[in-house]
């Protein structure tokens, strides 16, 4: 419960910040490669790559290696319109959609078989060097479980 309150506070604080920038187009500050900041022992890793897609969209690719050394690569494309787009390479998810909340916050929804499995809040720091992600998992009825996790990604320069 404390984590959920902290997450809500973080989102409220960031939402109230007066920041400039665009979440779309060539100036998108998310474009580039991002490495998860993790305390997990090697070889666990996760690299998100965000690239321009069809003018105003973004191609999202995730390269991950779990704690057992198993590598996966998955991804999808988005136009930031909240529409479901087909995913590849992730057996737990069929589609992903991205909706812009404001300049620094995107909401991402993953579905399997048409049912929401996970809702992510992706928050870009004001300096553009860090992305914080809040992960909320959903149960079979589509209700949020108590399994809320957090991750921090740092831009690879």
């Amino acid at each position: 419960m404390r984590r959920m309150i902290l997450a809500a506070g973080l989102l409220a604080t960031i939402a109230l910040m007066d920041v400039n920038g665009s979440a779309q187009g060539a100036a998108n500050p998310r474009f580039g490669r991002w490495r998860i900041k993790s305390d997990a022992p090697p070889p666990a890793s996760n690299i998100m790559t965000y690239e321009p897609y069809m003018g105003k969209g973004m191609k999202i690719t995730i390269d991950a290696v779990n704690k057992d050394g198993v590598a996966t690569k998955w991804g999808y494309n988005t136009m930031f319109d909240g529409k479901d787009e087909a995913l590849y390479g992730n057996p737990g998810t069929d589609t992903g959609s991205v909706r812009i909340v404001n300049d620094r916050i995107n909401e991402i929804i993953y579905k399997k078989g048409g049912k929401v499995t996970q809702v992510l809040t992706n928050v870009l720091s004001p300096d553009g060097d860090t992305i914080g992600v809040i992960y909320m998992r959903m149960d079979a009825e589509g209700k949020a479980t108590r399994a809320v996790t957090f991750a921090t990604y740092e831009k690879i320069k």
Side-chain angles (χ1 to χ4, degrees):
M1 183 64 161
R2 183 169 184 238
R3 285 184 149 195
M4 291 176 75
I5 292 169
L6 289 172
L10 171 68
L11 286 176
T13 300
I14 292 171
L16 292 173
M17 287 179 175
D18 181 28
V19 292
N20 295 321
S22 172
Q24 296 183 0
N28 189 328
R30 285 182 166 81
F31 289 162
R33 297 179 68 220
W34 301 81
R35 177 181 296 117
I36 195 166
K37 184 177 175 182
S38 174
D39 295 330
S45 71
N46 186 307
I47 305 242
M48 298 187 303
T49 303
Y50 295 153
E51 302 171 272
Y53 175 75
M54 294 183 64
K56 293 185 178 181
M58 183 166 25
K59 177 181 178 182
I60 301 159
T61 307
I62 310 296
D63 289 293
V65 178
N66 71 14
K67 64 181 175 55
D68 299 320
V70 177
T72 59
K73 184 173 187 167
W74 62 278
Y76 60 103
N77 302 319
T78 182
M79 295 305 287
F80 299 104
D81 55 9
K83 293 182 182 175
D84 291 344
E85 300 294 340
L87 257 94
Y88 66 86
N90 187 334
T93 305
D94 296 329
T95 64
S97 66
V98 182
R99 178 181 70 84
I100 294 172
V101 175
N102 67 30
D103 297 18
R104 300 288 167 171
I105 301 173
N106 289 341
E107 178 186 68
I108 303 161
I109 298 176
Y110 292 130
K111 295 179 183 177
K112 176 76 174 180
K115 292 186 178 184
V116 175
T117 58
Q118 195 173 45
V119 176
L120 286 68
T121 304
N122 177 303
V123 182
L124 179 66
S125 66
D127 66 6
D129 288 339
T130 305
I131 292 177
V133 183
I134 302 166
Y135 300 86
M136 291 189 307
R137 301 207 185 280
M138 303 301 183
D139 64 18
E141 287 77 42
K143 295 180 182 171
T145 69
R146 295 182 190 255
V148 175
T149 57
F150 305 88
T152 301
Y153 291 81
E154 296 175 321
K155 193 164 206 172
I156 301 170
K157 296 181 180 186

